[in-house]
């Protein structure tokens, strides 16, 4: 098993593509979200999140505002700030965060408990409705914020506060007499406790994370018992009348689960924690469960965009190959969670398939969920938009035809912010035992680590996602160091890669391939350079025959990017278009919302509405009725959809 990523402070992005996103988050997204949390943005539904902490701290009066898990919005914002400060110190941003932390700590109860809903709204009822009320979920997010901020600044105020809360939780939950033999309805604290253990070395936190996983889904079932003790009532009544154990992934013990079911975000967070605990404890049965669940998710229940969770009913998985396009739920948080899971699977075993999925979700759903202005977001990430039907059909109203300024349930926007600001954590892994540096993502960045008493630095420069060129230059000021370099060869690579060492091309027969990584073992000297050319070409992609929503259709990919067609380029009724798989895909430059991108054009066909008849809804399938005329269509990267006003959008196209 391989070691965790090198400390994020040693990784700095140097990427024209991704550094721009980090600057957007730093300069626009974080201040905008801070104003929203403080109810300062006109026209946006009040969050009440900061005010809740003020009320809980006794600094204001009033009632609780927002969702029962409103605290988590503040926590994720704080975590994102911590990651931002690791890459670039910003006194003004740090002061904002310090002020929020002072408020959070002031709201903490003397015994360490922290939750504004139960402090304000239902004092005395803490830990009485774990299934519905997200207490430990909120605790987990604040723990992650505390670790991030401590690593960035060295300040312990929030970290110490969350250690007190974690100690209270460890005293309250567990298998012992007088403890609650249970777990939270929304998994999150499990992975957060692992991070808290990593920051403090306190093994009690790792043990508690493992307990929460071990207890889940065992008999007698905690959620059923808790529900009966509440008189058979749910916090979400009448929407949820009785416990749906599969919705919470509590239908069976976690080691026995092999099919992804239930709420997709909860599942991703739980699988992430399972992989974390498996790695740290050497639990092979837990690791094997992760492998089974990974295979089910990514081979049978994942959209081509790296999104998961196909139905708005419960924001959930349904069954294998059920991936509808126009009603897709595909919550942003679920793709963020999939990236967490993928990285932890890489920690268990360096296989390119994990990084391939991580890259797919990152370049398509995650950045596609945020408009280029940084102030509008998708909660749901559809693969098809028909605005008129989205407005008129109740079954489609969860799919918004444009990105929104904010949400009543606003879990997704700060989740994107914290992921983008921590992106350096996902690029590399240094495996001390194998003396191997793994390069998982082709993202321009500088990374440094220490080995054999000296410092080694790698400077990666990459032209992704537009071109497949990557160079890795090594700096070894203390003398050469012998180790292995393992660079992922992406699954989208359209031919054999070209690999050069200090300008000289290496025969591929001399390069060892291991689980999708090209491995070079040598003594790396100061100034050594590895250059890779990864052939990149646009291509049509088909889905598995059982994926009914894409039957008879193709999507377009180029490198890590999935493409879509929009009404802005191709006119209305995109469903009338079809493509010829032999038609060449021409690359053309385009500029959308300030982004210089590569669009794809090809000859295609459009059904002739006039040939169908005089307004008839149905008619015999004659050649005349099926008449089509040739058109040229343009496809743009999916992450840029919806930045040119409202209109139709479509990923999958009919082929003829």
């Amino acid at each position: 098993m391989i070691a965790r990523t090198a400390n994020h402070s040693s990784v700095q992005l140097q990427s024209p593509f991704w550094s721009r996103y980090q600057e957007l988050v730093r300069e626009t997204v974080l201040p905008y979200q801070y104003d929203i949390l403080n109810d300062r943005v006109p026209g946006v539904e009040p969050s009440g999140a900061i005010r809740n902490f003020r009320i809980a701290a006794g600094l204001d009066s009033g009632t609780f505002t927002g969702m029962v898990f409103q605290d988590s919005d503040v926590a994720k914002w704080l975590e994102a700030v911590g990651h931002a400060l690791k890459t670039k110190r910003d006194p003004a941003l740090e002061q904002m965060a310090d002020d929020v932390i002072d408020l959070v700590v002031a709201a903490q109860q003397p015994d360490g408990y922290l939750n504004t809903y139960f402090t304000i709204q239902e004092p005395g009822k803490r830990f009485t409705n774990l299934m519905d009320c997200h207490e430990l979920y909120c605790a987990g997010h604040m723990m992650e914020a505390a670790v991030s901020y401590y690593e960035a600044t060295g300040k312990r105020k929030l970290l110490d506060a969350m250690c007190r809360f974690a100690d209270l939780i460890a005293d309250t939950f567990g298998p012992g007499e007088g403890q609650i033999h249970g777990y939270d309805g929304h998994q999150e604290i499990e992975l957060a406790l692992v991070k808290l253990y990593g920051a403090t070395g306190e093994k009690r936190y790792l043990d508690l994370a493992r307990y929460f996983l071990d207890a889940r889904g065992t008999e007698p079932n905690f959620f059923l018992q808790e529900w009966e003790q509440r008189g058979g009532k749910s916090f979400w009544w009448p929407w949820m009348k009785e416990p749906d154990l599969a919705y919470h992934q509590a239908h069976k013990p976690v080691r026995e689960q092999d099919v992804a079911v239930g709420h997709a975000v909860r599942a991703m967070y739980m699988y992430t924690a399972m992989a974390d605990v498996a790695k740290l404890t050497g639990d092979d049965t837990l690791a094997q469960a992760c492998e089974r669940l990974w295979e089910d998710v990514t081979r049978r229940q994942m959209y081509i965009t790296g999104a998961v969770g196909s139905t708005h009913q419960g924001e959930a998985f349904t069954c294998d190959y059920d991936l509808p396009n126009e009603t897709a739920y595909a919550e942003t948080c679920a793709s963020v969670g999939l990236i967490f899971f993928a990285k932890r699977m890489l920690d268990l075993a360096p296989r390119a398939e994990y990084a391939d999925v991580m890259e797919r979700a990152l370049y398509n759903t995650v950045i596609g969920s945020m408009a280029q202005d940084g102030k509008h977001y998708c909660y749901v990430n559809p693969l098809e938009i028909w605005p008129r039907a989205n407005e008129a059909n109740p079954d489609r109203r969860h799919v918004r035809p444009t990105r929104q300024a904010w949400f009543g349930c606003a879990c997704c926007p700060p989740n994107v912010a914290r992921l983008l600001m921590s992106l350096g954590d996902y690029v590399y892994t240094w495996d001390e035992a194998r003396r191997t540096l793994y390069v998982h993502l082709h993202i321009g960045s500088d990374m440094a680590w220490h080995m054999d008493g000296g410092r080694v630095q790698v400077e990666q420069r990459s032209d992704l996602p537009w071109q497949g060129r990557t160079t890795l230059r090594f700096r070894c000021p203390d003398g050469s160091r012998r180790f292995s370099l393992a660079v992922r060869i992406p699954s989208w690579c359209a031919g054999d890669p070209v690999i050069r060492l200090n300008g000289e091309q290496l025969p591929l027969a001399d390069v060892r391939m291991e689980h999708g990584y090209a491995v070079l073992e040598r003594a790396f000297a100061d100034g050594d350079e590895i250059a890779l050319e990864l052939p990149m070409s646009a291509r049509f992609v088909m889905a598995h025959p059982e994926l009914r929503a894409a039957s008879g259709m193709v999507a377009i990919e180029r490198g890590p990017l999935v493409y879509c067609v929009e009404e802005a380029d191709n006119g209305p009724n995109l469903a009338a278009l079809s493509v010829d798989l032999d038609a060449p895909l021409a690359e053309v430059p385009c500029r959308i919302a300030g982004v210089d991108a590569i669009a794809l054009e090809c000859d295609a066909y459009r059904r002739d509405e006039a040939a169908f008849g005089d307004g008839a809804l149905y008619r015999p399938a004659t050649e005349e009725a099926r008449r089509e005329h040739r058109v040229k269509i343009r496809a743009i990267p999916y992450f840029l959809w919806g930045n040119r006003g409202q209109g139709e959008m479509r990923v999958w196209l009919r082929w003829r």
Side-chain angles (χ1 to χ4, degrees):
M1 291 182 286
I2 65 180
R4 293 184 65 82
T5 303
N7 190 294
H8 179 82
S9 63
S10 66
V11 180
Q12 295 285 332
L13 296 197
Q14 302 289 345
S15 164
F17 188 83
W18 289 108
S19 296
R20 185 185 68 85
Y21 270 102
Q22 288 200 331
E23 284 305 304
L24 178 65
V25 173
R26 186 191 312 279
E27 300 296 331
T28 300
V29 175
L30 291 176
Y32 174 73
Q33 293 186 1
Y34 180 77
D35 285 342
I36 282 182
L37 295 175
N38 281 279
D39 305 323
R40 297 174 183 166
V41 178
V44 173
E45 179 181 348
S47 163
I50 293 294
R51 184 169 178 268
N52 287 339
F53 279 100
R54 290 186 56 81
I55 295 170
L59 302 175
D60 206 339
S61 60
T63 58
F64 180 88
T65 300
M67 308 295 288
V68 70
F69 44 82
Q70 206 78 349
D71 290 3
S72 64
D73 292 350
V74 175
K76 281 183 278 191
W77 181 85
L78 279 171
E79 183 187 348
V81 171
H83 294 309
L85 295 176
K86 292 175 192 177
T87 59
K88 181 181 178 181
R89 297 311 292 264
D90 184 328
L93 189 59
E94 187 170 342
Q95 185 59 57
M96 270 194 282
D98 285 343
D99 292 344
V100 173
I101 289 170
D102 288 344
L103 187 57
V104 169
V105 174
Q108 187 172 31
Q109 301 300 293
D111 63 353
Y113 182 81
L114 179 64
N115 185 284
T116 66
Y117 174 80
F118 283 96
T119 298
I120 298 168
Q121 205 72 13
E122 294 195 82
K125 290 191 177 182
R126 64 168 72 167
F127 302 138
T128 58
N129 189 345
L130 273 296
M131 183 176 72
D132 296 336
C133 291
H134 295 67
E135 278 170 281
L136 300 183
Y137 167 87
C138 290
H141 274 304
M142 198 63 78
M143 290 174 189
E144 289 196 87
V147 170
S148 171
Y149 202 69
Y150 167 67
E151 290 176 346
T153 66
K155 297 177 180 179
R156 296 189 58 96
K157 186 169 188 175
L158 186 58
L159 182 69
D160 289 341
M162 295 317 296
C163 286
R164 290 194 300 273
F165 195 8
D167 291 338
L168 172 67
I169 294 169
D171 290 341
T172 304
F173 291 85
E177 185 176 351
Q179 292 183 301
I180 298 174
H181 307 322
Y183 37 85
D184 202 63
H186 195 312
Q187 302 92 313
E188 213 287 333
I189 194 171
E190 299 86 351
L191 67 90
L193 285 165
V194 171
K195 288 187 177 181
L196 196 61
Y197 161 70
T200 65
E202 177 54 67
K203 188 172 179 294
R204 188 185 195 195
Y205 303 148
L206 175 60
D207 292 341
L208 182 57
R210 186 171 189 175
Y211 167 77
F212 283 136
L213 292 172
D214 289 344
R216 196 172 204 90
T218 58
E219 295 295 337
N221 192 282
F222 170 69
F223 287 151
L224 292 177
Q225 290 181 316
E226 186 191 56
W227 180 67
E228 290 169 357
Q229 290 170 1
R230 292 197 309 272
K233 292 291 180 69
S234 167
F235 179 85
W236 304 106
W237 180 277
W239 174 69
M240 185 179 290
K241 294 184 172 63
E242 60 186 49
D244 179 350
L245 300 181
Y247 171 82
H248 301 279
Q249 295 82 38
H251 57 301
K252 60 173 68 175
V254 298
R255 289 170 180 78
E256 297 176 15
Q257 298 186 28
D258 52 14
V259 175
V261 297
H263 189 275
V265 180
R266 299 171 199 239
M268 292 301 104
Y269 287 178
M270 185 180 84
Y271 303 162
T272 297
M274 288 167 63
D276 266 339
V277 173
K279 171 193 168 294
L280 291 170
T281 64
D283 189 327
D284 289 337
T285 60
L286 208 51
Q288 290 164 9
C290 289
E291 291 170 4
R292 294 193 303 270
L293 291 162
W294 173 269
E295 181 174 347
D296 182 65
V297 169
T298 61
R299 297 190 182 185
R300 292 182 286 277
Q301 298 206 68
M302 181 181 73
Y303 284 97
I304 193 171
T305 53
V308 293
S310 56
T311 176
H312 72 284
Q313 295 287 344
E315 304 177 318
F317 294 100
T318 53
C319 64
D320 291 351
Y321 304 111
D322 181 32
L323 296 168
N325 298 312
E326 67 276 10
T327 61
Y329 201 73
E331 183 181 345
T332 301
C333 283
S335 285
V336 171
L338 180 61
I339 290 171
F340 295 164
F341 184 27
K343 181 57 176 70
R344 295 338 192 270
M345 293 302 288
L346 283 168
D347 288 346
L348 283 170
R351 297 177 185 166
E353 65 174 287
Y354 304 142
D356 284 338
V357 169
M358 187 163 68
E359 181 181 70
R360 180 178 294 275
L362 182 63
Y363 275 99
N364 297 292
T365 296
V366 171
I367 59 172
S369 73
M370 182 172 68
Q372 294 301 307
D373 66 0
K375 296 182 178 181
H376 295 83
Y377 309 90
C378 290
Y379 193 106
V380 173
N381 294 275
L383 279 74
E384 184 175 334
I385 288 288
W386 179 16
R388 188 150 50 98
N390 296 132
E391 296 292 347
N393 186 338
D395 292 333
R396 296 189 183 194
R397 285 181 187 160
H398 63 282
V399 179
R400 307 310 302 157
T402 57
R403 295 175 181 84
Q404 307 297 295
W406 202 246
F407 307 95
C409 173
C411 52
C412 297
N415 227 354
V416 172
R418 68 176 181 140
L419 175 64
L420 291 177
M421 294 314 299
S422 63
L423 191 54
D425 289 348
Y426 299 85
V427 180
Y428 308 97
T429 302
W430 167 249
D431 180 351
E432 182 66 38
R434 292 187 177 130
R435 293 176 67 85
T436 300
L437 175 66
Y438 289 92
V439 181
H440 304 305
L441 296 175
H442 294 261
I443 292 178
S445 51
D446 295 343
M447 184 267 202
W449 76 102
H450 286 82
M451 61 178 300
D452 301 336
R455 186 173 185 269
V456 182
Q457 179 176 337
V458 60
E459 300 170 350
Q460 179 182 179
R461 299 296 179 263
S462 177
D463 293 333
L464 255 66
W466 310 120
Q467 303 297 334
R469 293 184 295 266
T470 295
T471 60
L472 298 147
R473 178 167 292 182
F474 291 88
R475 301 298 183 190
C476 307
D478 302 309
S480 65
R481 293 291 187 272
R482 188 171 191 85
F483 58 92
S484 294
L485 171 70
V487 183
R488 179 178 63 97
I489 305 301
S491 59
W492 50 257
C493 198
D496 290 335
V498 175
I499 303 176
R500 292 185 173 87
L501 171 60
N502 295 328
E504 182 177 343
Q505 184 171 339
L506 299 177
L508 289 181
D510 294 346
V511 179
R512 188 170 83 252
M513 292 297 299
E514 290 184 356
H515 303 296
Y517 287 79
V519 182
L520 301 175
E521 182 181 354
R522 68 187 311 270
F524 286 89
D526 191 53
D528 277 352
E529 182 178 279
I530 305 294
L532 295 94
E533 294 179 14
L534 306 171
M536 181 186 292
S537 62
R539 61 184 182 180
F540 293 111
V541 179
M542 301 178 72
H544 189 283
E546 288 197 50
L547 205 169
R548 289 156 174 78
S551 180
M553 293 192 245
V554 292
I556 303 172
E557 292 183 336
R558 183 179 181 275
L561 299 178
V562 174
Y563 278 67
C564 67
V565 293
E566 281 199 297
E567 183 177 346
D569 299 307
N570 304 286
N573 193 13
L574 300 177
L577 297 175
S578 62
V579 296
D580 184 338
L581 300 190
D582 294 325
L585 290 160
E587 300 175 4
V588 294
C590 70
R591 185 173 177 82
I592 297 175
V595 178
D596 291 318
I598 292 177
L600 300 171
E601 292 184 347
C602 72
D603 290 331
Y605 300 87
R606 177 182 282 277
R607 286 189 62 190
D608 190 338
E609 184 176 330
F612 189 77
D614 54 354
L617 186 58
Y618 307 102
R619 63 168 296 178
T622 62
E623 285 299 319
E624 177 66 15
R626 294 176 57 240
R627 193 172 70 194
E628 298 176 317
H629 58 272
R630 294 180 69 88
V631 294
K632 186 178 290 292
I633 64 170
R634 171 175 285 205
I636 65 166
Y638 174 82
F639 78 86
L640 287 171
W641 81 268
N643 281 277
R644 296 176 293 177
Q646 181 171 295
E648 293 185 42
M649 180 274 290
R650 192 176 179 95
V651 170
W652 291 99
L653 298 168
R654 292 185 304 113
W655 64 278
R656 65 197 301 272

